[in-house]
Amino acid sequence: MTNSAARPESWLRVTSAGLYCEPGDLYIDPMRPVARAVITHGHGDHARPGNEHVLATPETIAIMRQRFGELAGGTLQAARYGEQVAMDGLSLTLVPAGHVLGSAQLVIEYQGYRVVVSGDYKRRPDPTCAPFQPQRCDLFVTEATFALPVFRHPPDGREIEKLLHSLRLYPERCQLVGVYALGKCQRVIALLRAAGYGEPVYMHGALLGLTELYQSLGSLGVDLGPVRLATGVARDELRGKIVLAPPTALADRWTRRLPDPVIALASGWMRVKQRAKARGIELPLVISDHADWDELTQTLDDVGAPEIWVTHGREEALVHYATQQGCAARALQLTGFDEEEE
Ligand SMILES: [Zn+2]
Ligand SMILES: [Zn+2]
């Protein structure tokens, strides 16, 4: 039997630097530099520079190196999915979270308790990363970005078809699609390829580095096909083409070089019509790297944990759901997450 003295709330807690695990003296996705960090994935609100020791998947380490250079961490320890790392009486294992390339859930085993910290995750297939693996556990710490029953993401194929339809409808214009540099960009390209689109995909310079990294880490065998920098390409050559850019560049002077762009944005937030309208998005594409309501509740069922901690988004509805299912559930007051990264 498990030792009640070792219940997770006595050794895993929220601090000003983030979620802290006392045995092992480590922080998970810390908000400021610490001595020992476990990083779930490369998005800027989870992976920050300056930690002394970093444990992460090899892909996440490669992403951090690319983003932060020397500041990625003093020592960078790579653990492949499923590889157990022993540390001060703890066993740590990273398992796929299905969010972006290299993204991981952290499984912590300590004194008979098995705790899983999800990081960001989704359940639907993504050709650019390994699929989420539900882990049975005693405590599941889940994200809650889209944790309201109103959030039900449509099938990705349908959203990509909207983009291809717009492309056929306006052969004189270009389709300018806002995508986050890590994950969404490469997934949109892979989805276009899966839909049979073989033309070069053009992109803003800020997206090229991570896209090339995805291609070079292509352990999953995803061929993103021809990808070109949009900078320096003649305006007429971009008519009838797809151009990807970071969301922040959609309203920027950079877009003046483009031929009458149809402004699109690929984000789970495009489900909220007012958000699309406020940002001047003509073609909202509901493509999310986070679990929607059904995926979140499905996951709680799959992991079967009697205790649920909810963080990073709309905690209340999911806490309520978990409580109704007979779980002990509570919201964690973690700060520092940027939901716009989605
Ligand atoms: Zn993320
Ligand atoms: Zn996040």
Side-chain angles (χ1 to χ4, degrees):
M1 273 312 289
T2 48
N3 167 10
S4 65
R7 288 185 61 80
E9 59 265 34
S10 70
W11 51 268
L12 185 65
R13 60 177 178 271
V14 173
T15 70
S16 62
L19 193 57
Y20 176 66
C21 179
E22 197 176 286
D25 186 27
L26 57 90
Y27 291 84
I28 301 151
D29 296 342
M31 251 82 79
R32 53 177 167 76
V34 297
R36 239 185 221 181
V38 180
I39 305 294
T40 60
H41 66 284
H43 278 145
D45 56 334
H46 296 259
R48 294 178 170 86
N51 297 299
E52 280 170 42
H53 182 82
V54 170
L55 175 69
T57 62
E59 295 85 357
T60 295
I61 286 178
I63 290 163
M64 290 176 75
R65 276 212 178 100
Q66 169 141 348
R67 293 196 138 175
F68 308 134
E70 295 279 289
L71 291 175
T75 50
L76 301 166
Q77 181 182 1
R80 302 196 166 277
Y81 291 134
E83 184 184 320
Q84 275 199 353
V85 176
M87 196 183 271
D88 303 346
L90 284 175
S91 158
L92 304 176
T93 313
L94 298 170
V95 299
H99 175 60
V100 297
L101 184 66
S103 66
Q105 311 171 68
L106 173 64
V107 182
I108 308 172
E109 285 163 294
Y110 181 63
Q111 296 194 353
Y113 275 89
R114 189 171 157 86
V115 175
V116 175
V117 180
S118 74
D120 292 344
Y121 67 97
K122 69 174 176 294
R123 301 299 302 271
R124 57 191 68 209
D126 176 343
T128 65
C129 66
F132 180 94
Q133 279 176 13
Q135 303 289 311
R136 303 291 292 185
C137 53
D138 301 300
L139 164 63
F140 185 60
V141 183
T142 182
E143 66 127 317
T145 307
F146 290 110
L148 285 177
V150 65
F151 289 115
R152 289 194 158 92
H153 307 322
D156 312 327
R158 198 171 90 194
E159 300 303 289
I160 288 295
E161 195 41 54
K162 278 192 212 163
L163 175 59
L164 293 172
H165 178 75
S166 175
L167 192 66
R168 290 189 294 268
L169 208 57
Y170 302 111
E172 295 300 305
R173 304 175 68 181
C174 83
Q175 308 291 315
L176 173 62
V177 187
V179 288
Y180 289 92
L182 172 57
K184 195 63 63 65
C185 170
Q186 299 77 24
R187 181 167 168 222
V188 164
I189 299 172
L191 290 170
L192 283 165
R193 299 311 182 204
Y197 185 73
E199 294 287 308
V201 172
Y202 293 83
M203 60 175 59
H204 186 282
L207 303 178
L208 197 64
L210 282 166
T211 301
E212 287 176 346
L213 189 67
Y214 262 64
Q215 286 172 311
S216 73
L217 294 176
S219 54
L220 292 148
V222 177
D223 182 7
L224 298 178
V227 167
R228 308 223 197 302
L229 203 56
T231 315
V233 176
R235 179 184 298 256
D236 279 342
E237 227 177 286
L238 293 173
R239 294 188 195 281
K241 296 292 195 297
I242 295 172
V243 179
L244 306 181
T248 48
L250 294 182
D252 175 300
R253 40 181 305 150
W254 182 84
T255 63
R256 288 186 206 162
R257 74 190 69 210
L258 304 175
D260 188 18
V262 173
I263 311 283
L265 178 60
S267 162
W269 295 113
M270 292 298 97
R271 172 75 178 70
V272 184
K273 292 205 168 60
Q274 304 90 295
R275 285 218 192 192
K277 210 171 163 198
R279 298 187 68 161
I281 306 299
E282 195 175 340
L283 181 64
L285 302 172
V286 187
I287 300 177
S288 174
D289 282 327
H290 290 271
D292 68 4
W293 176 254
D294 291 333
E295 293 169 69
L296 290 166
T297 56
Q298 177 68 50
T299 302
L300 296 198
D301 294 349
D302 289 347
V303 302
E307 190 169 353
I308 306 287
W309 294 356
V310 184
T311 178
H312 194 173
R314 276 138 211 81
E315 290 94 354
E316 281 155 59
L318 203 57
V319 166
H320 181 70
Y321 172 86
T323 307
Q324 278 185 321
Q325 304 301 304
C327 302
R330 68 180 174 105
L332 282 191
Q333 309 301 325
L334 272 174
T335 53
F337 290 104
D338 173 16
E339 61 175 31
E340 283 299 318
E341 144 245 312
E342 155 61 23

